[in-house]
Amino acid sequence: MSDPYDRSHNLPMLGISQPTRSEVLTLPDIHVSHHPVVQCKLTTLRDKRTLPPEFYRLVKELGVLLAYEATSLLPIQPSPIETPLEPTIGSQLLGDIAIVPVLRAGLGMAAGVRQVLPDAQIWHLGVRRDEHTLRPVEYYNQLARAKNLRVGFIVDPMLATGGSAIDACDILRRLPVPHVIYIALIAAPYGVRNLRKAHPHVPIYVAAIDERLDERGYICPGLGDAGDRQFNTL
Ligand code: PRP
Ligand code: URA
């Protein structure tokens, strides 16, 4: 059987220098989850024996867990309610929150993030990277219809060169969405550095920062192609 990751004729990262993991870990507003459950689920996700139904389920569950961490600073307002015993003052999230899944691979994560933020608006964003140049290509964007968003969570399992993430952040900041937060499962140091430089004020939440990109632009050790493994299109 041919190797779906063999693009030996096309090596866009060949000769490009990349920062190390420890170099990017010192950059500001980079949040790597150290939660043991996250790390164990991520291990099963990386395993090449994990088949698409389980892979999709794990992406969704990791979406829930990372959303829990990435939402920890969302502002709340007092919300008066009555319990069966007496009135009390509870809390309510401020509204106008969006989840922006980067298609296709962001779909599974967005389903998980939505469990944490059930009232959020979902604005799909079609961005794929050209496998020859690794540049992002936008193919679906309805965000011009979004009105008065206050917070936007961009979700995509893989932060590789950072091209797709930077494009997604550019789109939200232009609207403008005042608070943009980026959530991924696995990042390459090269993508973290590029995203941090292009958007210094966007917090980056990830489950892991891996070693490097290979010459084809895949994250190593990574998990392979997150879209194909979720949707059984390898
Ligand atoms: C993958 C991934 C990111 C992008 C990351 O999507 O889900 O969107 O690549 O790479 P980058 O950081 O170098 O831009 P892909 O283009 O494979 O599309 P897919 O989700 O439809 O499979
Ligand atoms: N996109 C993926 O799905 N995997 C990678 O390793 C890099 C980009």
Side-chain angles (χ1 to χ4, degrees):
M1 204 179 90
S2 67
D3 175 0
Y5 299 107
D6 179 16
R7 298 198 174 61
S8 44
H9 54 289
N10 172 41
L11 304 173
M13 286 300 294
L14 190 67
I16 296 183
S17 84
Q18 300 181 36
T20 62
R21 195 173 172 275
S22 46
E23 278 168 331
V24 301
L25 279 171
T26 58
L27 295 174
D29 231 349
I30 312 288
H31 308 267
V32 184
S33 177
H34 298 294
H35 198 294
V37 174
V38 168
Q39 294 311 315
C40 293
K41 286 184 190 293
L42 189 62
T43 302
T44 312
L45 195 71
R46 290 180 188 275
D47 191 326
K48 67 181 183 185
R49 296 169 302 182
T50 300
L51 297 175
E54 188 183 6
F55 190 94
Y56 179 82
R57 180 179 58 75
L58 286 164
V59 169
K60 187 172 157 187
E61 288 171 7
L62 284 160
V64 174
L65 296 169
L66 287 186
Y68 180 73
E69 297 189 1
T71 52
S72 65
L73 296 178
L74 283 181
I76 50 177
Q77 62 191 353
S79 174
I81 55 155
E82 284 185 32
T83 76
L85 300 181
E86 61 186 19
T88 186
I89 306 292
S91 307
Q92 194 177 19
L93 283 173
L94 291 182
D96 301 318
I97 298 174
I99 300 167
V100 180
V102 178
L103 302 177
R104 298 170 291 167
L107 284 171
M109 272 183 83
V113 177
R114 194 178 190 185
Q115 289 189 4
V116 177
L117 296 170
D119 297 325
Q121 302 176 31
I122 316 284
W123 290 94
H124 298 91
L125 187 59
V127 180
R128 64 167 183 82
R129 67 174 189 169
D130 179 296
E131 71 179 40
H132 296 286
T133 63
L134 301 184
R135 295 302 308 152
V137 181
E138 202 179 304
Y139 62 89
Y140 182 82
N141 177 2
Q142 294 290 311
L143 272 151
R145 294 200 291 117
K147 297 281 174 278
N148 303 321
L149 291 177
R150 200 173 44 77
V151 186
F153 288 92
I154 298 170
V155 301
D156 187 339
M158 309 305 273
L159 174 60
T161 65
S164 307
I166 292 169
D167 202 54
C169 291
D170 287 344
I171 289 165
L172 291 199
R173 294 315 291 263
R174 267 200 305 269
L175 277 178
V177 178
H179 303 287
V180 177
I181 296 161
Y182 181 83
I183 314 178
L185 298 185
I186 302 182
Y190 184 74
V192 172
R193 185 189 66 188
N194 291 345
L195 177 56
R196 179 69 309 131
K197 191 166 173 209
H199 289 282
H201 302 300
V202 171
I204 300 173
Y205 286 84
V206 294
I209 298 181
D210 275 8
E211 293 295 316
R212 65 182 199 289
L213 294 174
D214 71 7
E215 292 87 349
R216 302 156 303 174
Y218 277 93
I219 301 173
C220 294
L223 50 70
D225 190 299
D228 284 340
R229 290 192 68 188
Q230 275 178 81
F231 298 112
N232 202 7
T233 52
L234 259 177

